Amino acid sequence: MTPSPNPPPLDPALVRLLQVVAVAANESTSLEGALRTCLQAVCEHTGWAAGHALLVQPGGELASADVWHAADPARTREFHAALHATPANGDALAARVARAGEPAWITDLSAGHAALAEAAARAGLHAAAAFPIRVGHETAGVLEFFFGQAPAPQPGLLEVMLSVGTQVGRVIERARAEEALRSSEAKFAGIISISSDAIVSVDEDQRIIFYNRGAENTFGYTADEVMGERLEMLLPEGSRARHEGQVREFGASPVPARRMGERGQITGRRKSGEIFPADASISKLDLGGRRIYTAVLRDVTERVQAEEALARQAEELARSNAELEQFAYVASHDLQEPLRMVASYTQLLARRYGDRLDQDAHEFIGYAVDGVQRMQALISDLLAYSRVGSRGGTMERTELEAVLRRSLEALRTAIEESGAEITHDPLPPVTGDAVQLGQVLQNLVANAVKFRGDGQPRVHVGARRAGGEWVISVRDNGIGIAPEYAQRIFVIFQRLHTRAEYPGTGIGLSICKKIVERHGGRIWVESPPEGGSVFYFTLPATGEAE
Ligand code: ADP
């Protein structure tokens, strides 16, 4: 309705009506109460006989809100009962208003629903008006009024009634918001109560105002025992002052939530007095002018124990490894001396008494010398193996290409004798121990030449960048390795052949593995379909070496 340019003054009764309704809408604690107050106020201020409220249900249909007011209840009782018995969609006026969202009138109730019309006539009610209850653009219900005869047009009445509808709409809106809040609170409370984490809220004085079931299980106190008490009771004595300081500092900081302490720093105290390590985070919230701190805390005793056990094991392992290496080093070092003596005296025997010994004796001396040499090779390889961890050099920028060159130099005789052709890709600079990387390449190339097949040995050293690492490969066209032995050959002393077939100690690849792993890489072998073998190892590609 557009107000006319000079609206006539509002009837003071209507102004009072508006005030009453506005107060009722603001103060009502229930929708039903607000509806009742409004119906009564409208009837009293207009002199209308009766009022009835209907609400649009969640499914969209209109239904009586069972709120009714009559100026003379005795006279309208029968009509009220008839109205109650009529389905809302039979109440044509209310249904029309609900659909259109606009006020509507009927001046002749006798034309409507038969039972209703008869009861209305008996109660002396002949006309009705209905107004929408609006929540925004939505029609949430209808206020319906009955009277003896259509009231005389009254300036501003329609606007006032529309305003009444809007005020009631506000109550509905509020009721809906409260319902949504209640259900979300219920959901939230449900989550909090089943959480196995301890959730404890305190006010500014550090008094406990919330304590969930997880907290009961963690601390051993029931909620009744701690509510209103100071948080201190859940903290070990030694950490109370520090904790207070931390909370104060957090309270002053701009962040709304943070993790508390570093690992192992946060501890809690159970009712039994037991102190336990915890992971915790804290958040703050200003609620109704009060500051509330909430800590979510998890007992990590088991995890800390497991970590400690792991650390102990790792330490023990490192110590026993170091001891073993030390033992291998000392043993191999000390074994060399008596062995040299056996070798030199055996050789002396052969030289000095050679002409007095027969053929068999020379043969036996030969075996003894061979045994000594093998033992020497074993010992020196074992020594090399034990030195990888304990006597490793520093990790520094190393030109792999130069390393390969030196390794090939060391293998020159073997390469020349076998007629092997050695090729290689450009090799990258890496970060590593040049001497040890040289050992790896030398062992792999030596094996590639040693385990050759019938044709000319061809060996290719390749390099390929894969993500954050370099993959170095040594490919040969030799006798190959059955896939089932691919793992075993990296284990110390594991060989696939007799010494008569191929000489060796079975230590070379285990040294390679140890060195590569010390550099943070992996080593493995593959058997390509065209024969031969390809040994791969990776080295982390450091920023500088890229
Ligand atoms: P060694 O060479 O002293 O026997 P390694 O540890 O270097 O010891 O090698 C272990 C075993 O792996 C070798 O005995 C051999 O059976 C196998 N192997 C190593 N490299 C090759 C290769 N390039 N081709 C075929 N077999 C190989």
Side-chain angles (χ1 to χ4, degrees):
M1 286 282 296
T2 354
S4 50
N6 281 316
L10 261 190
D11 179 345
L14 286 184
V15 176
R16 273 199 308 282
L17 166 61
L18 270 185
Q19 287 166 344
V20 171
V21 169
V23 170
N26 268 339
E27 294 186 347
S28 72
T29 50
S30 76
L31 176 59
E32 197 194 319
L35 289 171
R36 199 174 298 287
T37 310
C38 288
L39 293 181
Q40 186 181 347
V42 171
C43 289
E44 281 171 5
H45 287 81
T46 57
W48 295 349
H52 174 217
L54 301 97
L55 292 174
V56 175
Q57 302 303 302
E61 75 280 13
L62 187 66
S64 167
D66 269 339
V67 182
W68 163 261
H69 174 82
D72 181 350
R75 199 157 77 103
T76 51
R77 183 163 301 124
E78 192 203 342
F79 175 69
H80 181 205
L83 190 65
H84 196 74
T86 312
N89 59 6
D91 181 350
L93 177 64
R96 183 143 50 94
V97 171
R99 260 196 317 276
E102 296 293 341
W105 308 76
I106 24 177
T107 47
D108 184 8
L109 278 178
S110 66
H113 196 270
L116 212 52
E118 279 169 32
R122 273 197 292 277
L125 301 173
H126 300 294
F131 307 89
I133 297 173
R134 286 185 181 149
V135 175
H137 295 300
E138 168 202 350
T139 302
V142 175
L143 296 176
E144 186 180 33
F145 297 93
F146 303 92
F147 15 78
Q149 57 190 357
Q154 197 180 351
L157 177 65
L158 188 62
E159 282 87 349
V160 168
M161 287 311 299
L162 285 174
S163 166
V164 168
T166 305
Q167 303 278 4
V168 174
R170 277 175 45 216
V171 181
I172 293 183
E173 210 169 1
R174 216 167 57 217
R176 284 181 187 167
E178 278 166 7
E179 176 52 34
L181 187 67
R182 256 196 305 282
S183 89
S184 93
E185 270 176 358
K187 254 186 246 158
F188 182 60
I191 292 170
I192 286 193
S193 73
I194 59 165
S195 162
S196 60
D197 287 346
I199 302 177
V200 180
S201 298
V202 296
D203 62 14
E204 277 179 318
D205 297 332
Q206 306 250 337
R207 294 208 179 272
I208 297 170
I209 54 172
F210 179 83
Y211 185 86
N212 76 339
R213 202 159 330 136
E216 292 188 330
N217 295 336
T218 305
F219 289 102
Y221 290 105
T222 63
D224 287 345
E225 288 173 296
V226 300
M227 285 302 247
E229 298 296 326
R230 286 180 56 83
L231 183 68
E232 273 180 17
M233 69 190 292
L234 305 180
L235 302 173
E237 249 162 67
S239 74
R240 288 175 187 171
R242 178 161 49 96
H243 181 267
E244 280 235 33
Q246 278 173 347
V247 170
R248 208 167 313 116
E249 187 255 323
F250 168 64
S253 81
V255 295
R258 71 157 64 141
R259 267 179 71 84
M260 285 173 87
E262 288 311 311
R263 214 156 52 121
Q265 276 186 1
I266 290 289
T267 44
R269 181 178 175 278
R270 292 191 230 278
K271 188 179 182 182
S272 63
E274 188 194 339
I275 311 291
F276 64 92
D279 259 1
S281 58
I282 185 169
S283 61
K284 60 186 170 202
L285 185 69
D286 289 320
L287 213 61
R290 289 165 70 202
R291 167 149 294 185
I292 292 171
Y293 295 96
T294 299
V296 179
L297 178 136
R298 177 172 298 178
D299 179 348
V300 291
T301 306
E302 280 176 23
R303 197 188 70 200
V304 168
Q305 279 171 352
E307 281 170 358
E308 282 170 2
L310 210 63
R312 262 199 312 277
Q313 276 169 9
E315 207 176 290
E316 267 162 34
L317 203 66
R319 201 183 42 239
S320 82
N321 258 347
E323 277 171 3
L324 209 64
E325 273 180 6
Q326 187 61 19
F327 170 76
Y329 178 74
V330 171
S332 36
H333 194 262
D334 291 358
L335 282 173
Q336 271 176 332
E337 175 50 30
L339 202 57
R340 263 197 295 277
M341 205 149 92
V342 175
S344 40
Y345 280 101
T346 315
Q347 281 155 355
L348 187 65
L349 204 63
R351 270 206 307 281
R352 194 171 297 173
Y353 302 99
D355 45 357
R356 272 179 269 166
L357 296 174
D358 64 6
Q359 191 56 32
D360 275 358
H362 278 292
E363 201 177 314
F364 298 159
I365 287 175
Y367 289 145
V369 171
D370 180 49
V372 165
Q373 279 166 350
R374 261 194 294 135
M375 186 97 163
Q376 274 170 336
L378 261 175
I379 287 172
S380 93
D381 281 357
L382 210 53
L383 208 55
Y385 182 80
S386 75
R387 276 177 173 157
V388 172
S390 58
R391 305 280 196 284
T394 50
M395 299 283 180
E396 49 199 14
R397 187 186 157 94
T398 303
E399 295 294 337
L400 214 50
E401 187 131 352
V403 170
L404 177 68
R405 216 175 307 121
R406 280 195 293 275
S407 299
L408 295 182
E409 191 52 40
L411 292 170
R412 195 164 60 186
T413 318
I415 293 171
E416 276 172 4
E417 274 175 10
S418 65
E421 173 197 279
I422 318 269
T423 54
H424 69 87
D425 291 345
L427 300 184
V430 293
T431 299
D433 177 333
V435 174
Q436 291 192 339
L437 292 177
Q439 266 175 289
V440 174
L441 286 174
Q442 190 171 326
N443 270 330
L444 294 181
V445 174
N447 278 351
V449 172
K450 177 163 71 171
F451 297 101
R452 62 176 171 268
D454 294 333
Q456 184 205 10
R458 267 193 292 274
V459 181
H460 181 77
V461 181
R464 175 170 61 84
R465 179 68 189 264
E469 55 187 22
W470 284 105
V471 182
I472 312 295
S473 55
V474 178
R475 176 187 296 272
D476 66 43
N477 59 344
I479 59 171
I481 296 168
E484 60 266 36
Y485 299 122
Q487 304 277 336
R488 212 213 275 177
I489 54 172
F490 293 99
V491 175
I492 194 163
F493 299 134
Q494 293 287 340
R495 313 193 67 234
L496 306 180
H497 307 278
T498 63
R499 260 183 317 102
E501 292 169 298
Y502 297 98
T505 57
I507 300 181
L509 287 180
S510 52
I511 292 180
C512 292
K513 183 168 192 278
K514 219 171 157 190
I515 292 176
V516 168
E517 285 174 356
R518 180 173 172 250
H519 282 73
R522 292 161 286 125
I523 185 166
W524 71 100
V525 67
E526 285 176 15
S527 310
E530 68 270 19
S533 353
V534 193
F535 282 81
Y536 294 94
F537 64 95
T538 63
L539 291 172
T542 46
E544 185 202 18
E546 273 172 40

